[in-house]
Amino acid sequence: MLRAGVIAVQGDVAEHAAAIRRAAERHGESVSVEEIRTAGTVPDCDLLLMPGGESTTISRLLAEEGIDEEVREFAASGKPMLVTCAGLIVASRDAKDDRVATLSVLDVTVDRNAFGRQKDSFEAALDVRGLDDPFPAVFIRAPAIGEVGDGVEVLAEFDGRPVAVRQDNVVGTAFHPELTDDSRIHGLAFFESD
Ligand code: GLN
């Protein structure tokens, strides 16, 4: 039985938990999902998800609870990790905003709320490397990825900007892969590691 952790200090947790369960089932894995609000659980997880929400709040609460260092160590351990939207912002090297203490577990910079006011929220069928058919990607006040380090593979682009990346065991998306029934991104990140 795999132990999955979903950081639950803020943001959509239940939808990610359901997507992890669906992806695990498709891959013939059994998984228990735990919501993480305090330090002490992350090190015991086999896979970890940091969801969207508000990156300034998530970053502050992670530091207050002492979970920030555990997330950094988890990423360095090589176990699979998925970070989405605000989670991607917190995981990045630089969010160009002093209120976000980034964890530098993904060697990318991000631009918060990059797709403009008229496009606050939208859905796009994205070609994603590793998936056979386009993925229905829901963007909500989404960041775009700016600089991409040498070890980072771009998995998808929208409007000419990277919106999904992989660096070794860490996958990051600017969109919300938990908001449709399609759990292929969770599968790609957690159960199809290279
Ligand atoms: N705009 C949010 C931020 O900058 C992210 C939005 C999201 O996670 N849907 O933190």
Side-chain angles (χ1 to χ4, degrees), residues 10 12 51-58 84-90 97 100 111-114 120 138-143 174-176 178:
Q10 199 240 355
D12 4 291
E54 186 58 41
S55 54
T56 52
T57 307
I58 293 173
T84 66
C85 203
L88 164 70
I89 296 170
V90 173
D97 185 331
V100 185
D111 297 303
R112 297 180 63 202
N113 306 318
D120 256 2
V138 179
F139 292 77
I140 304 170
R141 297 179 58 234
F175 53 88
H176 285 255
E178 78 285 12

Side-chain angles (χ1 to χ4, degrees), residues 176-191:
H176 285 255
E178 78 285 12
L179 294 182
T180 67
D181 287 341
D182 193 328
S183 61
R184 286 178 297 159
I185 295 284
H186 293 76
L188 191 72
F190 292 138
F191 307 113

Side-chain angles (χ1 to χ4, degrees), residues 146 158 160:
F158 181 78

